[in-house]
Amino acid sequence: MDENGARERKESLNGSTGPSMDSPAKDKQAVKAAVLQKDVGLLSGIGFIVGSMIGSGIFISPKAVLLYSGAVGPCLLTWAACGVISTMGALCYAELGTMITKSGADYSYLMEAFGPILAYLYSWTTVIVLRPSAFAIITLSFAEYASTPFYPGCTPPLIITKCLAAAAICVVVSVNCFSARLARYVQNFFTAAKLLIIFIITGAGIVLLAQGNTENFSNAFSDTPPSFGAIGLAFYNGLWAFDGWNQLNFITEEVKDPYRNLPLAIIIGIPLVSVCYVMVNIAYFTVMTSTEVLVSPAVAVTFGDKVFYPLSWIVPLFVVFSTIGTANGSCFSGARLTYVSGREGHMVKILSYISPKYCTPLPALILNGVLAMFYLIPADINTLINYFSFAQWMFYGLTTLGLIVMRFTRKELHRPVKVPVVIAGLMVLVSGYLVLAPIIDKPEVEYIYCAVFMFSGFLLYYPFVHRKVEWARKLMRPITIYLQLLMEVVPPEKTE
């Protein structure tokens, strides 16, 4: 009843003065507008994947991967292996995305495979911590690179970088709130910029190799192999740079012809990024020793200073473009997860509402931005995301396990893409290793805190989702109506 009233009030706010002869047509148009539009084609899908994956990681992470892998050879092998792992995972998600054509990625797949409890824990952990904290980290990277030229010879003040990051969050969220099409154009533009700087660095590396700069590749493998846990940490940092390979699955409902375009975008986008990453790391080692890479605050910038001077400023400029593009992709896909969780009743209903004027999940976008602002406050949110990374890979493993389970329990589902079950099995094993290795190698109490937070979601699930206590519904009803009127949003059209 409150939803209908809010819709009528929304129509009056948009200029409706009363009933008219063509009111049925207007009503039909309004209902049609209250859904996310299928506007993402193949090119935009590739741009979304590539743009979400290539962020600040390839310009910063090489240092951490080298530190934990121990030498140039293992470092390059780690990057190549990360590409293979990401490709295997993406192929599994291609089958899942064409089998279950709902937005939300892991959330929707866990719901179908294992039921609502596991799906709820995923949405609770991801919506509240993983997505907004990652959004905050990306915008902080943007702020650091954007402010550094104004503070030559010293580190920019922390208050400056955090304020600039907060401004970036506001701009990105605003763009996504007011136009999904503009957000896609922004994503495509910054993806092109990222690929341009990648090709420039790779081209310079090929030229330097041809000139004989190969001394850093001699004795590429040290005598002391990395430890069991160090390998896991090297993969963590490498896969952080590859993170985003499943981003298109979060917006499946907005993809044109997902049976064709989703797997094609994955097959084209992820191998492209994998090749680029390996070539960029080879380029770094043509002019920088292992020691120089480890002491560099930003490997790509140091490379630019050595190779492109006096035009070395182009590298930090394009890194700024890269990070803001990744922030845009993270905001776009993260809000869709929140939207689907609200639609399924695992978050408050207002988060599933859509602006019929802009065709965007405006409440979900605003929540993502507010939480990201909150995560800018701590001194070191990188520590937070490191400790929660094990949770991310735990859910990746459970999702691919769900793919195997549904081969037996949901045989009736149409599978336009069907990957060999051995690939899904390998992804489950790799995910298990990435979850357990760092914890076994270096157990810390922070992992317990993360686990406690994850399972604390049950305290909210039982009364508010499973039991649906009446007093909570009565409390939320006037709040929902007020927020509907404030943001001019309506419930989404029900889809089968």
Side-chain angles (χ1 to χ4, degrees):
M1 188 171 181
D2 56 322
E3 294 174 356
N4 294 330
R7 185 180 285 111
E8 292 169 4
R9 176 60 185 271
K10 182 272 303 175
E11 291 169 353
S12 68
L13 289 171
N14 284 343
S16 176
T17 56
S20 63
M21 294 296 291
D22 59 346
S23 60
K26 286 186 178 180
D27 289 343
K28 185 177 180 181
Q29 184 178 1
V31 172
K32 184 179 179 181
V35 293
L36 300 178
Q37 303 300 302
K38 283 185 172 289
D39 291 332
V40 179
L42 177 60
L43 185 61
S44 292
I46 295 171
F48 193 78
I49 291 174
V50 174
S52 297
M53 291 177 70
I54 302 177
S56 60
I58 187 57
F59 308 111
I60 299 172
S61 292
K63 178 170 64 174
V65 176
L66 177 62
L67 174 65
Y68 292 114
S69 58
V72 173
C75 177
L76 294 176
L77 289 177
T78 300
W79 281 102
C82 287
V84 172
I85 292 170
S86 299
T87 303
M88 290 195 306
L91 289 173
C92 295
Y93 276 64
E95 176 176 334
L96 289 164
T98 52
M99 179 174 64
I100 303 166
T101 55
K102 293 180 180 179
S103 294
D106 305 66
Y107 174 80
S108 297
Y109 312 147
L110 290 170
M111 179 78 79
E112 292 288 337
F114 300 112
I117 295 179
L118 202 54
Y120 172 80
L121 286 180
Y122 172 79
S123 65
W124 163 254
T125 304
T126 307
V127 170
I128 302 301
V129 177
L130 291 178
R131 281 294 180 161
S133 61
F135 189 15
I137 288 173
I138 294 166
T139 53
L140 275 175
S141 297
F142 155 79
E144 289 169 2
Y145 276 96
S147 59
T148 296
F150 299 97
Y151 295 89
C154 65
T155 303
L158 190 60
I159 187 66
I160 296 296
T161 57
K162 291 199 173 186
C163 287
L164 190 55
I169 289 172
C170 291
V171 170
V172 170
V173 170
S174 298
V175 167
N176 279 269
C177 282
F178 295 127
S179 176
R181 179 171 294 180
L182 177 59
R184 288 193 299 274
Y185 288 156
V186 168
Q187 190 71 7
N188 290 341
F189 171 79
F190 285 117
T191 298
K194 296 175 190 195
L195 289 175
L196 178 59
I197 190 60
I198 290 288
F199 291 153
I200 289 173
I201 293 174
T202 299
I206 292 172
V207 171
L208 291 167
L209 280 175
Q211 293 175 347
N213 292 275
T214 58
E215 57 271 15
N216 292 328
F217 298 99
S218 59
N219 299 319
F221 293 87
S222 64
D223 296 332
T224 305
S227 67
F228 179 81
I231 294 173
L233 291 171
F235 273 94
Y236 263 149
N237 285 277
L239 289 166
W240 167 253
F242 276 93
D243 194 42
W245 48 266
N246 64 337
Q247 293 297 285
L248 197 59
N249 293 71
F250 283 94
I251 61 169
T252 305
E253 293 172 24
E254 296 171 73
V255 177
K256 299 175 185 176
D257 190 9
Y259 300 114
R260 171 185 177 272
N261 289 335
L262 190 146
L264 267 180
I266 287 172
I267 291 169
I268 294 171
I270 295 173
L272 173 63
V273 174
S274 302
V275 171
C276 288
Y277 278 9
V278 173
M279 293 302 295
V280 165
N281 276 276
I282 291 173
Y284 290 155
F285 288 118
T286 59
V287 295
M288 302 171 66
T289 64
S290 296
T291 303
E292 288 175 321
V293 170
L294 291 174
V295 299
S296 172
V299 180
V301 175
T302 304
F303 178 86
D305 290 338
K306 287 176 171 288
V307 177
F308 300 127
Y309 185 84
L311 299 177
S312 54
W313 53 268
I314 65 172
V315 175
L317 175 64
F318 276 93
V319 173
V320 167
F321 288 165
S322 181
T323 50
I324 201 68
T326 303
N328 181 73
S330 176
C331 179
F332 193 97
S333 61
R336 271 58 183 180
L337 171 61
T338 308
Y339 158 78
V340 174
S341 299
R343 189 175 65 186
E344 296 292 336
H346 286 173
M347 295 285 167
V348 291
K349 276 293 181 184
I350 188 65
L351 295 176
S352 69
Y353 288 8
I354 293 173
S355 168
K357 184 177 180 181
Y358 304 115
C359 296
T360 58
L362 197 138
L365 286 161
I366 292 175
L367 175 67
N368 194 27
V370 169
L371 290 175
M373 290 278 199
F374 176 78
Y375 286 119
L376 289 177
I377 298 172
D380 185 14
I381 58 174
N382 285 283
T383 302
L384 174 73
I385 199 69
N386 283 340
Y387 287 125
F388 268 94
S389 290
F390 88 96
Q392 183 68 75
W393 277 99
M394 181 182 73
F395 287 121
Y396 284 158
L398 287 171
T399 302
T400 48
L401 178 62
L403 172 64
I404 299 172
V405 169
M406 284 189 285
R407 289 281 181 91
F408 302 97
T409 61
R410 303 297 301 275
K411 294 181 180 180
E412 76 282 1
L413 292 175
H414 177 52
R415 292 173 170 83
V417 176
K418 193 170 183 179
V419 300
V421 72
V422 66
I423 292 180
L426 285 172
M427 274 302 295
V428 172
L429 293 176
V430 169
S431 300
Y433 168 76
L434 291 173
V435 169
L436 297 175
I439 298 175
I440 293 172
D441 186 67
K442 191 179 179 183
E444 296 185 20
V445 70
E446 284 81 1
Y447 291 117
I448 298 177
Y449 297 155
C450 295
V452 168
F453 173 84
M454 288 170 55
F455 292 105
S456 68
F458 283 123
L459 298 177
L460 298 175
Y461 178 83
Y462 182 74
F464 300 119
V465 179
H466 181 69
R467 293 293 302 272
K468 294 183 173 66
V469 292
E470 185 62 28
W471 65 264
R473 300 177 70 180
K474 289 181 179 178
L475 176 66
M476 285 304 303
R477 189 171 292 118
I479 297 174
T480 300
I481 294 173
Y482 175 77
L483 291 174
Q484 280 184 269
L485 296 175
L486 179 66
M487 294 184 282
E488 298 184 27
V489 292
V490 297
E493 177 185 350
K494 285 183 169 57
T495 57
E496 297 299 330

